[in-house]
Amino acid sequence: MIKIRSIIFLLFCPLLLSACWDKNEVEERGFVSGIAVDLANSPSMININEHPQPQENGKMQLQQDEEILNQNVDGDFTQNNNDKFKLTQQLIVPSGLGQAQNSGGNTMPAFRNLTQTGNTIIEMNRDMIKQAGRITNVTHLNVVLFSEAVASEKGVFADLMDIFLREKEMLRSVKVAITKDHAGDYLYILPENEKIPGMYISKLLENKSNLEIAQPLTVGDVQSLLLSKKSFAIPILNIVNTSTINYSGLSIYNGNKKKIVGMLTGDNAKGLNFINSKDQTGTLDIKFNNHDVTLEILKINSKLSLKNNDKNHLKFKNKIDVQAGIAEQYGSLDIMNEHQYKKLKTELEKKITEMTTDTVSLLQGNMQTDLLGLNTHLYKYHYSLWSSIKNDWESGQHYFSKSNVKIDVKVIEKPGNIIKSH
């Protein structure tokens, strides 16, 4: 009996010892921080030879890497005329993260970018593995960027998102954004407060202190929205200079048309955030007694209701309550004066009403895209009605565009920390 137990034990030992047979050493992995997708024939707006690069030992090491790996960003680096897409991946260079400066006082590179063209993400990634000399790993991926040109082609954005939804190592919290121009260029930005552009862009997208900014959109969010065929807003970025990226506004993705159909900027982007009462804060400028007054928006609450059941003439009311305080003022303003207090509230309510009404007109007009939450409200509270019109909501009979949306704004104003400044 003892011999049999010993034999069984010996048979199981190899199974225990082989637990790590497929392990990959950390040093053999190429951790990806950012990914950008462009059309294959999309020209880069930067010149690697002229673009500022982190330096090492007096030499532009990262620039040299790029010249070797990408030889002519817009040239024929294993590209053929039938390629559809261009993929740029940003790999983290660990040695550049742990040391701010080398002995010569120069900055160590913390990233390297690889570019390849092809017809699928998988195909391009495999070619990049050859360039990188190691297996790429997306467990540290921060952001995925798509150029506006890519996302404006019908069905392309959803098709390209497929790999990011299927990849088993992909985190659902990875942020997604649209770029105004060539997406790969954004991974060459050298921010002053971050060593890796992908991390910088990710933190930029988390900013909620501006009313023009959309809530961060993640891979998980996109999956839910695409499956439900809903329309949604995607943050759109633009390059300010070689070290700075900024928001341009909101790209409008139409779930029915499966592409970007337009964008909201400035007051129109702000109007959408007021309508949807997202967890946004920021400031709003108005004119009061011929002087500029900046109001800080502290809280937004909106409540949508349906006023009738006539599908050809649907009427909605969106009641928006806004809590605001004076952040900065020019000229004399006595907040304790009841007449001035009421006039200030009226001016702010008028401003918000104009912004939101214009936003509704744009979405119901050429865009014909429901980002107002009307469809969600009908689905939740008037399902029978919704079932009869859902197939013609943004197309066909265009019940969304035919709907009447009334905006009712009420401001609860607070003076700030003081009553008067002068």
Side-chain angles (χ1 to χ4, degrees):
M1 178 64 77
I2 296 176
K3 289 184 177 180
I4 293 175
R5 289 179 179 175
S6 298
I7 292 171
I8 293 174
F9 176 74
L10 291 173
L11 289 173
F12 273 98
C13 280
L15 297 177
L16 297 174
L17 294 173
S18 63
C20 298
W21 66 271
D22 63 342
K23 71 174 181 178
N24 288 317
E25 298 293 344
V26 173
E27 293 81 1
E28 296 175 359
R29 297 183 181 184
F31 290 101
V32 182
S33 175
I35 291 177
V37 185
D38 293 285
L39 295 177
N41 59 359
S42 172
S44 172
M45 302 302 292
I46 65 169
N47 185 328
I48 289 178
N49 296 324
E50 297 176 356
H51 193 67
Q53 299 286 359
Q55 296 183 16
E56 181 179 9
N57 297 327
K59 298 288 289 184
M60 291 188 176
Q61 185 64 48
L62 185 60
Q63 176 179 316
Q64 286 185 336
D65 288 346
E66 291 301 329
E67 289 176 352
I68 294 171
L69 293 170
N70 292 345
Q71 299 178 8
N72 301 320
V73 173
D74 299 314
D76 57 352
F77 55 97
T78 68
Q79 176 179 357
N80 64 62
N81 295 330
N82 296 322
D83 288 343
K84 295 179 182 178
F85 305 112
K86 181 190 298 182
L87 180 70
T88 303
Q89 286 190 355
Q90 184 163 94
L91 302 184
I92 299 173
V93 179
S95 60
L97 291 173
Q99 185 177 356
Q101 290 184 328
N102 60 23
S103 57
N106 295 316
T107 304
M108 297 287 286
F111 68 92
R112 65 187 298 196
N113 293 337
L114 305 180
T115 301
Q116 189 55 259
T117 61
N119 294 316
T120 67
I121 300 290
I122 289 288
E123 173 193 350
M124 291 182 284
N125 184 63
R126 285 174 178 168
D127 287 335
M128 283 184 177
I129 291 174
K130 299 174 187 177
Q131 293 181 353
R134 59 186 64 195
I135 297 174
T136 55
N137 183 288
V138 294
T139 55
H140 290 74
L141 182 62
N142 291 287
V143 65
V144 179
L145 304 174
F146 296 91
S147 70
E148 188 176 32
V150 166
S152 296
E153 293 197 4
K154 184 174 181 179
V156 171
F157 176 78
D159 287 343
L160 289 172
M161 280 300 302
D162 182 82
I163 180 63
F164 301 106
L165 301 176
R166 292 181 185 274
E167 170 57 48
K168 62 182 180 180
E169 294 182 336
M170 178 71 63
L171 298 178
R172 294 175 62 83
S173 59
V174 174
K175 297 176 184 65
V176 179
I178 301 296
T179 64
K180 190 65 181 171
D181 34 42
H182 191 271
D185 292 351
Y186 289 69
L187 298 181
Y188 285 92
I189 290 297
L190 296 176
E192 296 178 356
N193 57 341
E194 288 288 344
K195 286 195 171 185
I196 301 176
M199 293 182 180
Y200 162 68
I201 297 171
S202 177
K203 291 181 179 180
L204 176 68
L205 293 169
E206 293 174 357
N207 184 10
K208 296 182 181 180
S209 61
N210 191 313
L211 290 170
E212 296 180 40
I213 296 173
Q215 292 288 303
L217 187 71
T218 66
V219 167
D221 295 330
V222 172
Q223 181 182 23
S224 299
L225 292 164
L226 291 177
L227 287 174
S228 61
K229 294 181 173 56
K230 283 187 177 181
S231 300
F232 53 94
I234 313 176
I236 187 166
L237 306 174
N238 72 289
I239 294 176
V240 178
N241 53 48
T242 58
S243 63
T244 308
I245 295 172
N246 200 2
Y247 278 88
S248 286
L250 308 175
S251 292
I252 308 305
Y253 181 88
N254 185 289
N256 180 62
K257 297 179 180 178
K258 298 182 179 180
K259 65 177 184 177
I260 285 179
V261 294
M263 65 181 295
L264 296 177
T265 60
D267 284 350
N268 295 132
K270 293 178 182 179
L272 185 62
N273 280 323
F274 276 107
I275 291 170
N276 291 328
S277 66
K278 297 296 185 182
D279 185 23
Q280 300 286 116
T281 59
T283 58
L284 201 60
D285 298 330
I286 64 171
K287 284 287 186 180
F288 184 74
N289 292 338
N290 294 321
H291 292 287
D292 293 317
V293 177
T294 300
L295 293 138
E296 182 180 8
I297 305 303
L298 304 172
K299 191 175 182 179
I300 304 170
N301 284 319
S302 67
K303 184 177 181 180
L304 187 65
S305 59
L306 177 66
K307 296 303 180 182
N308 70 342
N309 289 320
D310 182 357
K311 64 182 183 181
N312 291 305
H313 302 90
L314 292 173
K315 293 183 179 180
F316 293 87
K317 180 179 180 181
N318 196 330
K319 188 175 184 300
I320 303 174
D321 293 329
V322 178
Q323 187 178 105
I326 298 174
E328 183 179 7
Q329 73 171 79
Y330 292 87
S332 178
L333 173 60
D334 183 1
I335 200 65
M336 298 303 293
N337 183 300
E338 185 177 359
H339 174 70
Q340 288 197 346
Y341 175 75
K342 289 182 177 180
K343 186 176 178 182
L344 178 64
K345 285 180 59 178
T346 300
E347 287 299 318
L348 181 55
E349 289 171 350
K350 180 182 176 181
K351 173 73 172 181
I352 296 173
T353 301
E354 289 175 351
M355 288 194 308
T356 51
T357 301
D358 287 346
T359 300
V360 171
S361 297
L362 283 173
L363 292 172
Q364 288 187 311
N366 292 334
M367 296 185 194
Q368 297 180 339
T369 303
D370 182 8
L371 296 187
L372 309 177
L374 307 188
N375 50 0
T376 302
H377 181 82
L378 292 174
Y379 175 81
K380 287 183 177 180
Y381 304 106
H382 306 276
Y383 187 75
S384 296
L385 173 61
W386 174 243
S387 297
S388 67
I389 63 176
K390 62 181 181 180
N391 294 328
D392 289 303
W393 185 242
E394 292 179 332
S395 60
Q397 296 297 319
H398 293 283
Y399 290 120
F400 166 67
S401 294
K402 292 178 181 178
S403 299
N404 178 272
V405 182
K406 182 181 178 182
I407 304 293
D408 182 17
V409 179
K410 181 180 179 182
V411 170
I412 304 171
E413 201 273 334
K414 290 188 176 183
N417 294 328
I418 59 175
I419 296 174
K420 293 180 67 177
S421 61
H422 58 280

